[in-house]
Amino acid sequence: MTSPFKFAHAAHADWTHAAQDCMGQLGAIPSTATLGFLYVSDAFAGELAAILAFFRSATGVTHWTGSVGVGVCATGVEYLEQPAMAVMLGEFAPADFRMLPVLRTLQDVAAQPSDAYVAMVHGDPENAHIQELIERLSEHVSGSFVVGGLSSSRGETAQISDGVVSGGLSGVLFGERVKLATRLTQGISPLGPRHRITTASKNIVGSLDERPALEVMKEEIGEVLAHDLRRAAGYIFVGLPVRGSDTGDYLVRNILGVDPQNHLVAVSETVEPGDELLFCRRDRQTAEDDLLRMLTAIGAQLGSPIRGGVYYSCLGRGRHMFGAPNREMELIRATLGDFPLVGFFANGEIFRDRLYGYTGVLTLFG
């Protein structure tokens, strides 16, 4: 029987103290440990190179992937807006994974060998072509799956791909022999039916189902919010259904503003006439129900003991969505057991070939 991966997490204002604490938790390093996962709070962004060098030297593990985040998470616990780190040592045959150097352009993707099955990546939100890079990389891997998250920070961002990198997508490519399962959970619930966009210009929606967009929105969000649209900020969103999704997934995007005079709605995504759109709201119970649904499905999909996992959760989730600290991570542990899990709170989550928001993306290794 294969053993669980070694993992550790710690919080401290001084990164050296947190790192030493993690090493104490890791204990003896297995000779089969070949890939390190490292997630650190943005408070440590400036020391990321030193932290990476420390763990590489202390563990003897050569290859590393990871990111900076406003928060990091581990089994049963979330460290949001405090200096912390989480580390896990994966045990994979050297022939079964390959590090992905930073991809800043579509030409960089095309230059990669097409021998991988799944890509686990971390992205720089400053790259304006990040969605195109995700799509192209998904086409490049035989399993058509890219999972990961965009770095989040109140200052500088950075990712890890053997060294500290930035500017694009980077991470690790896994071969077909690596046993893994990956799933996405939505955190927003639809308020009403899907609507067809009938007029639009860039990110401005003019009409839905041949009716003024703002009029449709007001009907669905209810009389109280319709009379004070400022109260809807951060609570009401739009969902853009993903074409071809067999699970009804949709991309959640912010409502940037409205034009009461012309009945227009501005959203944080370019849309076109013919696209579908639905209005959504933040909903704790729906988020919990969907998370539990996802956890049941992914456990059945893996079909073997969990050796370790990586979780990418949106900055808008955690205690902001679930109403209490650690609730999201406690639900994962309660449903799937006390297994090694690390990850971070992202500025956008990557699943299959899309960049999502307000979602959680879980990948398990068996």
Side-chain angles (χ1 to χ4, degrees), residues 152 170 196 242 244:
S152 62
S170 64
R196 182 75 60 184
V242 176

Side-chain angles (χ1 to χ4, degrees), residues 106-169:
L106 298 181
Q107 289 73 25
D108 292 338
V109 180
Q112 289 297 307
S114 54
D115 57 351
Y117 184 66
V118 170
M120 178 174 282
V121 300
H122 310 98
D124 189 333
E126 296 299 314
N127 188 310
H129 304 289
I130 205 77
Q131 174 61 51
E132 296 168 80
L133 290 169
I134 294 166
E135 290 175 5
R136 192 63 58 87
L137 184 58
S138 175
E139 295 169 358
H140 208 70
V141 295
S142 61
S144 299
F145 257 97
V146 180
V147 296
L150 300 190
S151 299
S152 62
S153 176
R154 290 161 292 185
E156 60 184 295
T157 62
Q159 302 80 46
I160 299 169
S161 181
D162 278 350
V164 176
V165 300
S166 62
L169 282 179

Side-chain angles (χ1 to χ4, degrees), residues 286-300:
T286 299
E288 286 201 9
D289 291 346
D290 196 67
L291 176 59
L292 293 173
R293 174 204 59 78
M294 181 271 278
L295 294 172
T296 301
I298 196 172

Side-chain angles (χ1 to χ4, degrees), residues 17-365:
H17 288 275
Q20 291 287 0
D21 190 349
C22 285
M23 285 306 302
Q25 295 174 46
L26 290 173
I29 307 301
S31 60
T32 49
T34 52
L35 175 64
F37 300 84
L38 176 61
Y39 299 97
V40 308
S41 299
D42 59 349
F44 294 146
E47 288 80 39
L48 185 57
I51 296 170
L52 176 58
F54 170 85
F55 279 112
R56 178 177 281 126
S57 174
T59 63
V61 175
T62 303
H63 299 296
W64 290 83
T65 186
S67 178
V68 165
V70 169
V72 299
C73 55
T75 306
V77 65
E78 302 162 0
Y79 299 101
L80 269 167
E81 299 176 2
Q82 59 177 310
M85 60 182 65
V87 59
M88 183 173 72
L89 304 180
E91 299 172 40
F92 307 102
D96 288 343
F97 74 95
R98 176 168 58 82
M99 301 311 297
L100 181 69
V102 61
L103 309 174
R104 296 184 177 91
T105 67
L106 298 181
Q107 289 73 25
D108 292 338
V109 180
Q112 289 297 307
S114 54
D115 57 351
Y117 184 66
V118 170
M120 178 174 282
V121 300
H122 310 98
D124 189 333
E126 296 299 314
N127 188 310
H129 304 289
I130 205 77
Q131 174 61 51
E132 296 168 80
L133 290 169
I134 294 166
E135 290 175 5
R136 192 63 58 87
L137 184 58
S138 175
E139 295 169 358
H140 208 70
V141 295
S142 61
S144 299
F145 257 97
V146 180
V147 296
L150 300 190
S151 299
S152 62
S153 176
R154 290 161 292 185
E156 60 184 295
T157 62
Q159 302 80 46
I160 299 169
S161 181
D162 278 350
V164 176
V165 300
S166 62
L169 282 179
S170 64
V172 60
L173 301 169
F174 292 106
E176 242 178 307
R177 289 186 297 185
V178 174
K179 187 164 190 180
L180 60 81
T182 186
R183 292 267 176 160
L184 171 141
T185 177
Q186 300 273 178
I188 307 291
S189 59
L191 283 167
R194 296 185 180 193
H195 301 284
R196 182 75 60 184
I197 298 175
T198 42
T199 61
S201 175
K202 296 182 180 178
N203 69 321
I204 308 296
V205 183
S207 62
L208 296 167
D209 305 326
E210 305 288 355
R211 296 178 58 210
L214 184 57
E215 183 179 302
V216 177
M217 175 181 160
K218 284 182 175 181
E219 282 183 6
E220 292 199 358
I221 66 177
E223 188 176 349
V224 173
L225 290 177
H227 277 92
D228 186 2
L229 292 173
R230 289 171 298 180
R231 292 180 58 186
Y235 178 69
I236 302 298
F237 305 84
V238 296
L240 305 174
V242 176
R243 290 192 181 96
S245 171
D246 55 4
T247 54
D249 291 339
Y250 47 88
L251 306 177
V252 177
R253 295 296 184 257
N254 293 320
I255 295 174
L256 300 180
V258 297
D259 179 347
Q261 185 173 350
N262 297 298
H263 306 286
L264 307 175
V265 177
V267 302
S268 60
E269 183 77 28
T270 300
V271 293
E272 297 178 353
D275 290 347
E276 289 186 317
L277 177 150
L278 49 99
F279 292 100
C280 312
R281 68 179 176 188
R282 292 168 69 102
D283 185 281
R284 181 189 62 80
Q285 191 57 54
T286 299
E288 286 201 9
D289 291 346
D290 196 67
L291 176 59
L292 293 173
R293 174 204 59 78
M294 181 271 278
L295 294 172
T296 301
I298 196 172
Q301 180 186 354
L302 188 66
S304 66
I306 303 168
R307 301 192 70 192
V310 181
Y311 191 54
Y312 304 107
S313 185
C314 179
L315 277 172
R317 290 171 66 88
R319 64 173 181 246
H320 306 295
M321 179 172 285
F322 293 90
N326 307 321
R327 175 66 175 165
E328 185 173 16
M329 303 309 294
E330 287 171 351
L331 285 169
I332 295 174
R333 181 167 62 180
T335 307
L336 294 178
D338 200 9
F339 66 94
L341 180 67
V342 297
F344 79 111
F345 289 90
N347 193 22
E349 306 76 60
I350 302 166
F351 185 73
R352 197 185 292 267
D353 64 349
R354 292 285 174 181
L355 182 62
Y356 287 78
Y358 301 96
T359 60
V361 175
L362 177 62
T363 301
L364 301 179
F365 297 102

